[in-house]
Amino acid sequence: MKADRDVIIIGAGAAGLTAAQYVARANLNVLLLEELAPGGQCLIIDNLENYPGFPDPLPGVELSQKFEEQAVRFGVDIQTSSAHSVSKKNGLFQVDTDNGPLTSPTVILATGAKHKKLGIPGEEEFSGRGVSYCATCDGPFFKGKRMLVAGGGDAACDEALFLAKLTDQVVMIHRRDRFRAQKALAERTLNNPNIEVRWNTEPKVIKGSAKVEEVVLWNNEKDETYSEKVEAVFVFIGSIPQTQVAKELKVELDEAGYIVTNQRMETNIPGFFAIGDVRSTPFRQLVVAAGEGAIAAHAASQFIDELKGEAYV
Ligand code: NAP
């Protein structure tokens, strides 16, 4: 049974790039598939403050480039291609890609998660015209303007703090009366003079003509509805794990739809691993994703060693 590769990794964020580097260094034949540019979520982080080894704030785009350079230096083959589905055929995984089917005895899924939408009137209509899911990308267009941030997790706080460097008029709304974000981040957000936090507040409609002009807000405690003039609405209300590619394999998911693995990043399907933001984990961080990449690479390499004693060549 001859496979195209030893390991196919789907998704080149911090998790996938680290896994690829470790697999290549174990002298295995690895292919890393990425439909966009390598780097994943890291690419849109303004400044990283908590990635170990970099004491000064580090632009996410720079760290992404370093991840990629290092993987390429160890011989990782990175291809720009979408993986559409993974199935199991004759003892091997078959990954259907833009460039045709490819086979391997192991697959590491590192497809991450995509931003959740509010699902309110005006959100789709004004997407790219004031509605945004990336402060680093779109914030500079609204320098000095009044902006709304929706959400209460780490992402919402991080991004509100970034926007507060561009304007002194950030209105941040959260649907309940305390942040979900880590304590230090939540405190920095609350103490920032350029951010006005409004608790128990939900967006209901986004309005405008050519661009966003106002948002209808609802105070769910007082049951009051009012309009707020803003020029941009930034939405950070969590993520949806990108598991579609593994649907055919019937990989086990948790109640929120993230892939369940053991400590070795193994899913319920032997030879199929999941790492990074697509995996069920209590703490999603870049450094955690990179660590999971290293663990999966090691486990995949052991899995292949065992197979080589059997049928796989
Ligand atoms: P998250 O932790 O799931 O938080 C989502 C926030 O959005 C919650 O506050 C939630 O409210 C709110 N929300 C959810 N659905 C909503 C809706 N329909 N309408 C209004 N509000 C809604 O998501 P995240 O902030 O994107 O973070 C995702 C993961 O990445 C987390 O594990 C986080 O730790 C990590 N991360 C870390 C950093 C960092 O360390 N600097 C930065 C970014 C992300 P409730 O609180 O009421 O549920």
Side-chain angles (χ1 to χ4, degrees), residues 52 84 97 99 126 132 153 165 185 187 204 222 255 268:
H84 306 292
T97 76
N99 304 328
F126 292 107
S132 170
K165 291 189 247 173
L185 203 47
E187 276 172 9
K204 287 291 163 197
K222 298 182 185 152
E255 63 285 353
N268 58 321

Side-chain angles (χ1 to χ4, degrees), residues 20 88 90 94 100 102 131 142 198 238 244 264 283 309:
K88 194 93 197 249
N90 306 320
Q94 178 174 310
L102 291 162
V131 174
F142 303 97
R198 294 190 195 165
Q244 306 89 318
R264 290 163 52 81
F283 199 41

Side-chain angles (χ1 to χ4, degrees), residues 116 152-155 158 174-176 180 182 237-238 284-285:
K116 243 170 83 178
D154 284 339
D158 255 352
H174 183 33
R175 63 182 177 184
R176 56 194 176 103
R180 177 177 294 278
Q182 299 166 60
I237 59 166
R284 293 191 175 82
Q285 298 278 298

Side-chain angles (χ1 to χ4, degrees), residues 123-133 138 142:
E123 185 180 21
E124 289 296 336
E125 186 187 346
F126 292 107
S127 183
R129 294 191 291 139
V131 174
S132 170
Y133 305 87
D138 299 324
F142 303 97

Side-chain angles (χ1 to χ4, degrees), residues 147-164:
M147 313 182 199
L148 186 100
V149 171
D154 284 339
C157 288
D158 255 352
E159 306 287 320
L161 286 164
F162 171 74
L163 294 173

Side-chain angles (χ1 to χ4, degrees), residues 71-102:
V72 169
R73 185 155 60 85
F74 287 118
V76 175
D77 177 13
I78 306 178
Q79 284 184 15
T80 308
S81 174
S82 291
H84 306 292
S85 64
V86 183
S87 52
K88 194 93 197 249
K89 292 201 170 82
N90 306 320
L92 291 175
F93 291 105
Q94 178 174 310
V95 182
D96 288 316
T97 76
D98 287 347
N99 304 328
L102 291 162

